[in-house]
Amino acid sequence: MLEVVDLTVAYGPVVALHGVSLTVQDASITAVLGANGAGKTTLVRTISGLVRPRAGSVRLDGRELIRLPPEEIARLGIAHVPQGQGVLAELTVDENLRLGGLWRRDRKAQRGALDETYELFPPLAGRRHLTAFSLSGGERQMLSVGRALVARPRLLLLDEPSLGLARRALVQIMGRIKALVTERGLTVLLIEQNAKSALSVADDAIVLHLGNVVAHGPAQKLADEEGLRHAYLGF
Amino acid sequence: MSRFFVLSLNGLTQGAIYAAMALALVMIWRATQVINFAQGAMAMFTTYLALFAIDHGVPYWLAFLVALSSGLILGAIVERVIVRPVESAPPLNVVILTLGLLLFLEALAPMLFGGQIRSFPPAFSIVGLHFGNSQVAFSPFDAFTLGSVLAVMVLLLVLFQKTDLGLRMRAAAFNPDVSRLLGIRVGRMLTLGWSLASLVGALAGVLIAPSLLLYPTFMDQVLVFGFTGAVLGGLDSAVGAVVGGLLMGFALSYVGGYLGSDLETVGALVILIAVLMVRPRGLFSRHRLRQA
Amino acid sequence: MVAVHSRLDRLASRTLGGHLLLALGAAVLLLLLSTQIGAYDNYNLTAVAIFAVAAAGLNLLTGLNGQLSLGHGALMAIGAYTASLLLKDHELPVVLVLLLSVLSTGLIGIVFGYAAARLRGPYLAGATLTLAVALPQVATRYKSIFGGESGLTVPPTTPPAWLGPDFPPERWLAWIAVAAAVVTFVLLANLLRSSAGRAFRAVRDNEAAAALAGIDVARTQVLAFVISAACAGLAGALFAYWSGVTAPAGFGVTLSLQLVTAIVIGGLGSLAGAVWGSLVLVFVPSLTSGMASTLNVPSAIANNLPLAIYGGILVIAMLVAPHGIQGTLTRILTIGRARWGHTPAGGQKGVVDWDDPASDP
Ligand SMILES: Nc1ncnc2c1ncn2[C@@H]1O[C@H](COP(=O)(O)OP(=O)(O)OP(=O)(O)O)[C@@H](O)[C@H]1O
Ligand SMILES: [Mg+2]
């Protein structure tokens, strides 16, 4: 279980999160919604340790993450697919994928995870030995998500995975992730611009507005709230 | 034997050493985007340590290891103590920092090891080899120089391209933030990068010391030529560093041989400017077409 | 970089008259000072003025225009050799010698400037460093013109008769150097507030944006290089008078690196920083050698202690005061003023700077 309590984050004078709290249950998908600049990316960057908060706490199964550096947080089984360019363009597709699970050291499982990823994303399989630099935007996004899955994480932070992806690829990815949630108990925090489709896959959701949580609850319930949809979700 | 051939052989051995120096600079540049102007002084220091060991009865090969391993350690210390705290400082500050370290080491060495110019023993004979009844300007020590530089380069290539550790090191250098998200302990990787680079520098030091004599500033020229070689090759290419270093070796040898040794550096300047005017980012730079 | 900006903006907001007044005041003060101190201190004062001129020129190039030169010592050598060659067979007035040296170095600066404008960051650093190593060798090679290793001797300037027969020549040279420095600083200060100065900064901050704003980036960079070279030429000519001999050994890589050190320690991008830097260059070594000689240690240690301390100071300074002396002073002043409830001119913005990590190259 991931618990975020009273998280306040500022970049210099700009406060991006004002005392945000949320709880993500194990083996569930929680959507984080909100307009541009709402603080969604800041939230996941803080969880994965890239940003130091001014106050508050982030706990994974009761363990405080706030003082840990990002690499140690990753080693607890938290995989973060960053918004936009998360691939290492200078390395090959294969190397990028291998990097996802290097900290695990169970070579065999790694090999299997790699093969699974190539099965899931056939375009990557054909470009195994090319540098990620040569990939298209959508292919890069596949690589980024695939690399996170290779790590077999407990908690997956997805920051706008739909960016640049064709609908079919996206449906495929989300289908795979749903399966991992039910089969392996994966926990997911999903950031999406498209509130409608995010709410359709998520179990729970929160809505951020200018760094504050303005709504939270079961995804279905939020999707049904007329006022909320109009004010923040735009559908 | 023709003069050209002699000069070429000489250029090859010198070039191997400049290539090692250039490679050391490029490794550090790629890991931390720092030009380590103290690289030569660090190599000078480790060479002095080896000589100190020899003075105290340590056999040559053990002293050789002393130089290399002290290079490893010195590189790690410098990265941890001096470079890490200014990780996010403007690049010029880091330049000044390495210059400060250079001056400091060049003053520290004579305090610890005495100020007089010393000679440094070679591992093998420096007399030219005999083939039949003709002697070539290529000594066993030259062969050793070439061989050891080559060996180190092959080892580094295997490390970086074939091992998980090398993959981690490359990732950490290319994109520290993303690497951290993948659980790579970036700090350790950068320290290791500095260590390995200093080892390569230390190797250059013990290899060139026999022909240059040992004094606190003896590596300054090697640093400049190595740097020129690295820039010539394109600072972010290891292959470029090796090629650039070798080119420098040949060019300096020809200029020195045909035009006079006091024009060597002018020759280096002319070549460098000529290459950079055509390729402002060196011979082996890859121009990015897409945003990385 | 934001702090550098506001400092310059404030400097630039002073009027030409203000600059002149300030300069005149400084000149009078320094001239008075020179009459109160002995020959050795006048000698040091001259050195400070010389380094200040060279460092100010380098600061314009590196701090304001963003081009790192590790070869400014070589440009000083061009100025010094020009002066020495002029004085070899003729007796010429100092002003003429200085002007011609500025001219020759500036002209050569055009050539280097065009080459430099194509290069960036470490590539420019590499090219200029090689220049610093190579140029003195030309002097060694062409002995008949440049005098080889032993160089050319430079006759001292004699004080004019109206100063009286006992006027010390060191003081006269100090006057010349101080006057040259003051003139240079006034000219540079005015340049900085002109459109050329703004173009320098715009190119440094973002070449693409500057080009979009209609600035000819390459021309701006060449101009900065030429002005910077001219300053180095002036400093070099003064240096020739000061040292009495112009030889390759005097213009090694060390000199170039010292100049870079001066502007970073003094404060990048500010004229005052150049002065602080040259004070450090002149007085820290003499302080450290003073310290070393009072200690009772073996000569191998005493001889090298000054350099070790100097190197140590560089390292420590960069660790504790990364913005140089001028930057640190500005910060202290701003924090002080903020405490006392004053807002510095130009508003609070960027004075205690939040350097946006994203904007660092
Ligand atoms: N590195 C930074 N420095 C300063 N301010 C920042 C930084 N990163 C984000 N911000 C600010 O913090 C606020 C929240 O940004 P954040 O990136 O978290 O938004 P977001 O919800 O992810 O937006 P988007 O949907 O556009 O990705 C914004 O006002 C942004 O300008
Ligand atoms: Mg975002």
Side-chain angles (χ1 to χ4, degrees):
Chain A
M1 191 170 66
L2 176 77
E3 294 160 289
V4 175
V5 185
D6 249 348
L7 201 62
T8 298
V9 180
Y11 300 100
V14 181
V15 181
L17 293 178
H18 300 266
V20 165
S21 300
L22 78 138
T23 306
V24 181
Q25 296 299 339
D26 281 345
S28 77
I29 301 181
T30 299
V32 179
L33 307 172
N36 294 126
K40 307 180 297 292
T41 298
T42 304
L43 175 64
V44 285
R45 283 172 65 83
T46 313
I47 294 171
S48 60
L50 287 175
V51 175
R52 278 273 163 101
R54 195 171 270 183
S57 122
V58 174
R59 286 192 293 266
L60 182 68
D61 295 339
R63 180 164 180 188
E64 182 58 66
L65 303 185
I66 283 308
R67 302 241 165 275
L68 293 180
E71 52 268 40
E72 301 310 323
I73 292 178
R75 282 162 177 257
L76 294 174
I78 298 185
H80 177 169
V81 178
Q83 181 172 12
Q85 310 296 356
V87 301
L88 290 147
E90 294 88 347
L91 302 181
T92 65
V93 169
D94 205 57
E95 287 170 335
N96 264 284
L97 284 181
R98 270 167 59 207
L99 277 170
L102 271 191
W103 58 271
R104 281 202 166 266
R105 310 217 163 141
D106 43 355
R107 292 280 189 120
K108 261 213 199 92
Q110 286 306 306
R111 191 94 15 96
L114 231 59
D115 292 339
E116 270 174 41
T117 310
Y118 283 128
E119 244 166 72
L120 185 63
F121 302 114
L124 295 185
R127 294 175 171 74
R128 220 175 259 246
H129 298 296
L130 297 180
T131 56
F133 180 66
S134 65
L135 298 184
S136 76
E139 288 163 350
R140 288 185 187 204
Q141 200 66 28
M142 292 177 199
L143 180 55
S144 205
V145 175
R147 191 179 57 193
L149 293 181
V150 168
R152 306 195 173 220
R154 283 201 278 172
L155 172 64
L156 180 61
L157 309 172
L158 290 171
D159 197 345
E160 302 199 16
S162 62
L163 205 81
L165 275 184
R167 173 120 203 106
R168 231 182 62 190
L170 185 64
V171 168
Q172 223 174 349
I173 290 183
M174 290 322 296
R176 175 73 187 147
I177 286 173
K178 276 225 107 144
L180 288 176
V181 170
T182 45
E183 287 162 20
R184 292 208 201 128
L186 174 69
T187 309
V188 180
L189 199 60
L190 170 68
I191 295 180
E192 258 307 333
Q193 283 298 336
N194 185 338
K196 197 171 179 179
S197 65
L199 288 174
S200 71
V201 290
D203 303 299
D204 300 294
I206 67 163
V207 180
L208 283 178
H209 180 65
L210 297 178
N212 292 295
V213 180
V214 290
H216 64 98
Q220 199 46 55
K221 211 176 127 233
L222 293 195
D224 291 341
E225 269 183 44
E226 187 81 23
L228 189 73
R229 271 174 24 198
H230 274 290
Y232 300 110
L233 304 179
F235 70 92
Chain B
M1 196 166 38
S2 85
R3 186 163 170 71
F4 178 76
F5 188 59
V6 172
L7 291 175
S8 301
L9 278 178
N10 177 47
L12 182 65
T13 356
Q14 295 293 306
I17 290 167
Y18 300 149
M21 199 44 138
L23 188 62
L25 291 167
V26 164
M27 285 169 72
I28 285 179
W29 171 259
R30 285 182 34 164
T32 46
Q33 310 289 302
V34 171
I35 300 289
N36 182 17
F37 285 102
Q39 193 78 68
M42 288 163 68
M44 171 277 295
F45 202 81
T46 54
T47 311
Y48 261 110
L49 282 174
L51 186 65
F52 182 79
I54 290 174
D55 284 347
H56 287 75
V58 173
Y60 178 89
W61 290 110
L62 218 53
F64 190 79
L65 284 183
V66 166
L68 297 192
S69 49
S70 58
L72 272 177
I73 297 167
L74 188 59
I77 294 175
V78 170
E79 199 274 336
R80 274 289 150 109
V81 179
I82 296 181
V83 178
R84 185 72 60 87
V86 295
E87 218 171 12
S88 54
L92 257 186
N93 287 38
V94 189
V95 169
I96 302 302
L97 211 86
T98 59
L99 290 177
L101 181 63
L102 170 131
L103 295 178
F104 181 75
L105 287 176
E106 290 187 351
L108 187 63
M111 287 190 206
L112 295 178
F113 307 111
Q116 63 277 50
I117 295 179
R118 299 283 311 272
S119 65
F120 190 88
F124 300 95
S125 158
I126 50 169
V127 179
L129 287 171
H130 287 270
F131 285 105
N133 48 14
S134 70
Q135 193 184 10
V136 292
F138 193 75
S139 67
F141 186 66
D142 289 336
F144 172 67
T145 299
L146 277 181
S148 50
V149 170
L150 194 71
V152 164
M153 281 171 185
V154 170
L155 285 177
L156 285 176
L157 188 74
V158 170
L159 171 71
F160 280 112
Q161 297 297 333
K162 298 287 170 210
T163 70
D164 285 350
L165 180 63
L167 179 58
R168 282 196 196 98
M169 291 179 72
R170 282 188 292 148
F174 287 136
N175 193 334
D177 271 355
V178 169
S179 299
R180 287 197 174 94
L181 289 181
L182 300 175
I184 296 168
R185 293 176 168 136
V186 170
R188 286 187 205 176
M189 295 302 120
L190 300 186
T191 307
L192 187 58
W194 271 74
S195 271
L196 289 175
S198 309
L199 177 141
V200 178
L203 176 70
V206 278
L207 290 179
I208 202 151
S211 54
L212 284 184
L213 295 176
L214 194 52
Y215 48 96
T217 55
F218 93 104
M219 285 299 283
D220 284 5
Q221 272 227 333
V222 181
L223 175 83
V224 171
F225 292 153
F227 185 32
T228 313
V231 168
L232 208 59
L235 265 175
D236 43 32
S237 159
V239 177
V242 174
V243 173
L246 286 173
L247 275 180
M248 283 302 294
F250 285 116
L252 293 178
S253 179
Y254 296 140
V255 173
Y258 290 120
L259 304 176
S261 64
D262 40 11
L263 278 183
E264 273 185 3
T265 51
V266 182
L269 176 68
V270 171
I271 295 165
L272 183 68
I273 297 291
V275 170
L276 287 184
M277 284 305 98
V278 183
R279 290 187 65 94
R281 300 178 72 85
L283 290 172
F284 286 77
S285 63
R286 283 162 299 171
H287 283 274
R288 292 278 170 73
L289 298 177
R290 283 189 190 179
Q291 276 299 304
Chain C
M1 280 297 140
V2 189
V4 175
H5 267 259
S6 69
R7 213 179 304 141
L8 287 166
D9 289 344
R10 247 179 299 146
L11 182 74
S13 70
R14 283 184 202 142
T15 57
L16 172 63
H19 287 154
L20 278 176
L21 222 65
L22 193 75
L24 226 68
V28 169
L29 221 73
L30 286 171
L31 296 191
L32 282 179
L33 174 70
S34 78
T35 61
Q36 301 305 312
I37 54 182
Y40 179 69
D41 288 321
N42 263 312
Y43 185 75
N44 277 339
L45 177 61
T46 312
V48 171
I50 293 172
F51 282 125
V53 170
L58 182 60
N59 218 347
L60 175 112
L61 184 70
T62 304
L64 280 169
N65 194 226
Q67 304 188 67
L68 171 59
S69 165
L70 297 180
H72 251 50
L75 294 172
M76 275 180 76
I78 295 173
Y81 273 101
T82 309
S84 316
L85 288 172
L86 285 170
L87 292 166
K88 206 160 143 186
D89 316 298
H90 315 277
E91 225 176 282
L92 294 170
V94 180
V95 177
L96 185 66
V97 171
L98 295 184
L99 282 179
L100 287 173
S101 304
V102 168
L103 196 69
S104 74
T105 317
L107 284 176
I108 293 176
I110 296 177
V111 179
F112 291 145
Y114 268 104
R118 282 181 59 82
L119 303 179
R120 297 291 172 268
Y123 295 92
L124 181 57
T128 48
L129 179 68
T130 321
L131 174 72
V133 179
L135 208 74
Q137 296 235 314
V138 176
T140 319
R141 167 79 173 187
Y142 298 101
K143 244 193 196 75
S144 55
I145 311 172
F146 302 113
E149 294 281 5
S150 52
L152 302 167
T153 51
V154 183
T157 52
T158 40
W162 52 267
L163 283 171
D166 298 329
F167 198 85
E170 300 82 20
R171 194 183 296 164
W172 173 235
L173 189 60
W175 284 23
I176 294 171
V178 166
V182 168
V183 170
T184 309
F185 273 68
V186 170
L187 290 177
L188 287 181
N190 280 299
L191 180 81
L192 295 191
R193 64 189 291 268
S194 71
S195 61
R198 279 192 296 277
F200 290 165
R201 269 163 269 157
V203 167
R204 171 198 67 194
D205 293 341
N206 188 337
E207 282 184 27
L212 281 178
I215 296 170
D216 184 338
V217 172
R219 243 192 58 163
T220 308
Q221 287 176 328
V222 175
L223 182 67
F225 204 102
V226 171
I227 296 171
S228 179
C231 292
L234 177 60
L238 291 166
F239 190 90
Y241 281 116
W242 177 72
S243 71
V245 56
T246 302
F251 300 94
V253 180
T254 328
L255 178 63
S256 297
L257 299 184
Q258 277 181 325
L259 290 175
V260 178
T261 307
I263 61 170
V264 177
I265 295 266
L268 266 183
S270 95
L271 288 178
V275 178
W276 292 121
S278 56
L279 284 168
V280 169
L281 278 195
V282 174
F283 288 108
V284 169
S286 71
L287 274 180
T288 51
S289 45
M291 268 158 61
S293 63
T294 57
L295 295 175
N296 198 7
V297 287
S299 69
I301 293 183
N303 291 342
N304 290 291
L305 207 52
L307 191 62
I309 295 174
Y310 187 62
I313 286 178
L314 287 189
V315 172
I316 292 166
M318 284 300 100
L319 292 177
V320 302
H323 296 267
I325 297 173
Q326 185 60 24
T328 307
L329 284 179
T330 314
R331 278 168 168 229
I332 292 170
L333 275 179
T334 353
I335 292 169
R337 279 192 213 154
R339 283 264 161 81
W340 296 104
H342 300 292
T343 317
Q348 193 70 30
K349 76 166 160 61
V351 178
V352 181
D353 54 354
W354 301 102
D355 268 2
D356 178 6
S359 76
D360 260 349

